[in-house]
């Protein structure tokens, strides 16, 4: 199905999964789009079969908690951050629900986690004001970047560069092969208001960077010139939640949830709002919205997971 205005407006809630008792804090599709994984404040990881529209057996993480869940490139393992005991990152085998490796070094909460689209490296950004470069095959940190403020991080879609958002005012762009030399570009922003950058995300076409905040403000930046293209507003975030906005696979639309159970959709070309999708409850806080990378499907996470699809046409 084509990704266009009419088809996006046709999205309907198709499957509602009530596997969790508390907030789903993160979710992620694998590269093939056939699986979705989530982490929750109730210390539970859930994998969903997107083709069958069914949840698989939940994976408990009671001792350490779970946050910032991300598939690895193979889709057979996942990384997640800890919420208890320490600030380690944990590498989980999904086939047998066993941990393969722990990555230690951060001394405060990990705020951002990004997996390379081309190899076995990943990045972590922490409230301890460091960004660490890792290789899945080693528990030893492969690189350390000390930042002047709280960082968030993401790879570009080619996996050759990454961006670090620092202290809600700077984006540093780094060459993955020479990151120790410092950023090759520094993009600075001065936006009015008291807010914190919570997520940084490159568009699938690599031309834009999306910055989510803990308020009802989202920034869209040109990834090459650093020009602020658009600001997206109008979605409710009265609780200062770190809502995670995301792109459609063609980079033409931005999606974000809200604290009143609505999903807002904007055009990246002109910054105008396309539509607002509503859930069954205005008390739902839509923490994360993700578009399936391979099929016309949307997933939204609050205290429950919802799959959105267009109406089924009668034969």
């Amino acid at each position: 199905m084509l990704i266009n205005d009419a088809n996006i407006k046709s999205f309907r809630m198709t499957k509602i999964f009530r596997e969790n008792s508390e907030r789903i804090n993160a979710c992620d599709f694998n590269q093939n789009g056939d699986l979705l994984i989530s982490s929750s404040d109730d210390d539970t990881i859930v994998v969903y079969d997107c083709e069958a529209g069914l949840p698989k057996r939940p994976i408990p993480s009671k001792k350490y908690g779970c946050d910032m869940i991300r598939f690895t490139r193979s889709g057979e393992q996942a990384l997640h951050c800890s919420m208890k005991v320490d600030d380690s990152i944990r590498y989980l085998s999904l086939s047998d629900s066993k941990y393969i490796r722990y990555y230690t070094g951060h001394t405060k909460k990990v705020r951002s986690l990004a997996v390379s689209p081309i190899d076995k490296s990943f990045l972590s950004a922490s409230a301890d004001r460091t960004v660490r470069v890792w290789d899945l095959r080693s528990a030893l940190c492969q690189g350390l970047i000390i930042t002047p403020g709280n960082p968030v991080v993401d790879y570009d879609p080619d996996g050759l560069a990454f961006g670090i958002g620092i202290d809600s005012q700077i984006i540093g762009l780094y060459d993955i092969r020479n990151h120790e030399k410092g950023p090759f570009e520094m993009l600075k922003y001065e936006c009015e208001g008291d807010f914190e950058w919570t997520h940084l995300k490159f568009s699938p076409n690599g031309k834009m960077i999306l910055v989510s905040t803990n308020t009802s403000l989202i920034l869209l930046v040109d990834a090459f010139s650093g020009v602020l293209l658009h600001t997206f507003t109008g979605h409710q975030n009265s609780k200062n939640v770190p809502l995670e906005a995301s792109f459609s696979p063609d980079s033409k639309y931005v999606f974000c949830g809200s604290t009143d159970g609505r999903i807002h959709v904007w055009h990246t070309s002109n910054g105008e709002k396309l539509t607002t999708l509503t859930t069954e409850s205005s008390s739902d806080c839509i923490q994360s919205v993700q578009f399936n990378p391979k099929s016309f499907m949307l997933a939204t996470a609050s205290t429950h997971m919802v799959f959105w699809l267009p109406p089924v046409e009668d034969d």
Side-chain angles (χ1 to χ4, degrees):
M1 178 175 283
L2 294 175
I3 302 176
N4 57 33
D5 290 7
N7 287 334
I8 286 176
K9 288 180 179 179
S10 75
F11 268 130
R12 298 291 182 270
M13 298 173 67
T14 304
K15 292 268 188 177
I16 303 175
F17 304 100
R18 306 182 189 278
E19 308 301 305
N20 299 102
S21 59
E22 296 186 40
R23 177 186 71 120
I24 297 171
N25 52 48
C27 62
D28 186 42
F29 283 103
N30 66 350
Q31 289 189 349
N32 293 330
D34 58 339
L35 295 175
L36 176 76
I37 196 166
S38 69
S39 54
S40 170
D41 290 352
D42 65 8
D43 306 331
T44 304
I45 296 165
V46 180
V47 180
Y48 298 86
D49 185 324
C50 299
E51 295 177 348
L54 295 171
K56 296 190 174 183
R57 179 174 58 86
I59 302 170
S61 182
K62 300 297 181 184
K63 182 177 180 180
Y64 300 105
C66 50
D67 191 12
M68 292 285 171
I69 193 92
R70 297 289 184 265
F71 272 113
T72 60
R73 194 163 63 95
S74 70
E76 298 174 357
Q77 299 90 26
L79 292 166
H80 74 80
C81 304
S82 307
M83 297 183 73
K84 304 175 183 178
V85 182
D86 59 25
D87 299 290
S88 298
I89 300 160
R90 294 180 154 73
Y91 184 23
L92 176 67
S93 169
L94 298 176
S95 61
D96 55 10
S97 303
K98 294 182 179 179
Y99 287 109
I100 301 170
R101 193 166 289 115
Y102 297 166
Y103 306 93
T104 60
H106 285 302
T107 57
K108 292 185 178 180
K109 178 178 172 58
V110 176
R111 306 178 69 244
S112 187
L113 198 61
V115 175
S116 170
I118 62 169
D119 59 27
K120 292 185 179 295
S121 69
F122 70 95
L123 304 167
S124 58
S126 167
D128 65 12
R129 297 190 170 191
T130 66
V131 171
R132 290 175 180 263
V133 183
W134 307 89
D135 187 304
L136 285 171
R137 295 163 293 190
S138 171
L140 299 177
C141 176
Q142 306 295 303
L144 176 66
I145 300 169
I146 299 173
T147 63
N150 283 329
V152 286
V153 68
D154 192 28
Y155 284 94
D156 85 320
D158 295 325
L160 302 178
F162 61 90
I164 301 177
I166 305 167
D167 231 13
S168 303
Q169 58 184 349
I170 299 170
I171 298 176
L173 300 178
Y174 293 75
D175 186 326
I176 189 66
R177 296 159 297 185
N178 298 295
H179 59 80
E180 66 279 356
K181 295 182 178 180
F184 61 81
E185 190 76 54
M186 290 288 281
L187 315 175
K188 296 185 179 181
Y189 304 92
E190 293 184 8
C191 297
E192 294 183 0
D194 182 18
F195 58 84
E196 180 181 274
W197 292 1
T198 57
H199 299 85
L200 185 145
K201 192 172 294 188
F202 280 87
S203 61
N205 63 10
K207 296 180 179 180
M208 296 167 286
I209 299 173
L210 189 66
V211 180
S212 302
T213 76
N214 65 340
T215 66
S216 55
L217 172 68
I218 302 167
L219 310 177
L220 185 68
V221 176
D222 187 293
F224 301 106
S225 68
V227 171
L228 179 61
L229 299 173
H230 305 294
T231 57
F232 303 124
T233 60
H235 56 294
Q236 188 178 113
N237 191 2
S238 57
K239 302 175 183 178
N240 297 116
V241 177
L243 304 175
E244 183 180 5
S246 62
F247 289 98
S248 57
D250 61 2
S251 304
K252 293 182 179 179
Y253 302 92
V254 164
F255 299 77
C256 188
S258 63
T259 54
D260 63 353
R262 298 174 184 269
I263 298 98
H264 298 254
V265 189
W266 298 270
H267 291 279
T268 58
S269 59
N270 56 23
E272 294 182 359
K273 183 172 286 186
L274 169 64
T275 190
T276 302
L277 306 171
T278 57
T279 58
E280 61 181 12
S281 173
S282 61
S283 63
D284 282 341
C285 174
I286 310 299
Q287 175 77 30
S288 179
V289 183
Q290 303 291 336
F291 204 117
N292 190 306
K294 297 297 183 181
S295 62
F296 196 84
M297 169 193 170
L298 203 65
T300 61
S302 56
T303 52
H304 47 266
M305 182 68 68
V306 178
F307 287 0
W308 299 70
L309 295 167
V312 178
E313 295 182 0
D314 295 330
D315 295 332

